[in-house]
């Protein structure tokens, strides 16, 4: 199980991390700081489709075609954890080494959007206080790790649950009646 989980977790993690780096680069270098949420979530779904593939691979190749819901969920959850951890590590490296002023740019963008939407002075003041509070919290690496996990891990858990529900199978292949050719 370890090899299966590791392989599919790393594939999923590589895809989701590359999508994140591309999205951050795109957004960070755009004067309007525009990203594409649809592209981001599509990338997550593509990456997390490897949870389904990994659970199916485990069931078919390592578990003789049978897997309980619990074991299927465990395999899927471990794949999601590995992928999410890769995502978190890549974001930490990206943020601290390449875009350390990301929060400044993000906060400026959020305030600009509020102004363009016609927010009054009180609302702008509240938004500025929230942005400053978030920026201060983002100085703590533990907070950065927790926030980053919260971006992707819940989606991975849902995909692991769905995969376990779809792929659970009580009876595997009956190897006693299989015809083998020598």
């Amino acid at each position: 199980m370890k090899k299966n989980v590791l392989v599919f977790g790393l594939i999923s993690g590589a895809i989701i991390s590359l999508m994140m780096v591309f999205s951050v680069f795109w957004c960070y270098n755009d004067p309007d700081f525009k990203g594409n949420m649809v592209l981001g979530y599509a990338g997550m779904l593509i990456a997390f489709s490897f949870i389904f593939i990994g659970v199916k691979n485990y069931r078919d190749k390592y578990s003789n075609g049978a897997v309980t819901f619990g074991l299927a969920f465990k395999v899927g959850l471990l794949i999601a954890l590995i992928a999410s951890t890769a995502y978190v590590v890549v974001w930490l490296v990206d943020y601290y080494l390449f875009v350390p002023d990301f929060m400044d740019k993000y906060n400026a963008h959020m305030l600009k959007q509020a102004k363009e939407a016609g927010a009054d002075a009180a609302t702008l003041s509240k938004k500025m206080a929230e942005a400053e509070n978030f920026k201060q919290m983002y100085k703590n690496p533990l907070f950065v790790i927790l926030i980053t996990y919260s971006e992707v891990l819940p989606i991975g858990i849902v995909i692991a649950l769905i995969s376990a529900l779809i792929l659970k199978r009580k009876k595997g292949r009956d190897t006693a009646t299989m015809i083998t050719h020598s």
Side-chain angles (χ1 to χ4, degrees):
M1 177 168 67
K2 289 178 187 177
K3 181 182 176 188
N4 190 68
V5 164
L6 191 60
V7 166
F8 287 100
L10 290 175
I11 291 170
S12 180
I15 293 169
I16 199 167
S17 296
L18 287 172
M19 291 293 292
M20 181 261 301
V21 168
F22 173 75
S23 295
V24 167
F25 179 77
W26 178 5
C27 198
Y28 187 79
N29 290 306
D30 184 348
D32 292 327
F33 207 78
K34 289 186 180 175
N36 190 329
M37 286 182 65
V38 173
L39 183 63
Y41 281 108
M44 283 186 204
L45 289 175
I46 290 167
F48 284 142
S49 68
F50 282 89
I51 293 171
F52 182 88
I53 295 167
V55 172
K56 184 174 183 326
N57 186 63
Y58 178 78
R59 181 194 73 188
D60 295 346
K61 289 189 178 179
Y62 299 101
S63 191
N64 200 28
V67 68
T68 63
F69 171 80
L71 184 56
F73 179 65
K74 180 180 174 182
V75 170
L77 181 62
L78 290 172
I79 293 169
L81 281 170
I82 290 170
S84 297
T85 300
Y87 180 86
V88 169
V89 169
V90 170
W91 171 242
L92 289 171
V93 170
D94 196 23
Y95 176 68
Y96 286 110
L97 296 180
F98 300 106
V99 291
D101 61 338
F102 184 83
M103 289 309 296
D104 293 327
K105 284 189 167 197
Y106 179 75
N107 287 342
H109 169 70
M110 295 304 289
L111 292 173
K112 180 182 171 191
Q113 277 189 321
K115 286 178 186 175
E116 289 173 356
D120 61 4
T123 303
L124 285 175
S125 177
K126 184 180 174 185
K127 287 268 187 204
M128 286 174 61
E130 289 172 0
E132 186 57 35
N133 183 40
F134 196 75
K135 180 181 171 185
Q136 291 304 316
M137 291 184 344
Y138 223 75
K139 289 182 178 180
N140 180 346
L142 181 60
F143 180 77
V144 176
I145 289 168
L146 292 174
I147 288 294
T148 308
Y149 266 117
S150 74
E151 292 173 9
V152 294
L153 188 56
I155 296 167
I157 292 170
V158 169
I159 300 295
L161 277 168
I162 292 168
S163 297
L165 283 169
I166 293 171
L167 295 170
K168 67 180 178 175
R169 187 184 297 160
K170 291 184 180 188
K171 293 186 179 184
R173 295 181 294 254
D174 185 6
T175 56
T177 60
M178 289 178 60
I179 299 173
T180 58
H181 300 280
S182 298

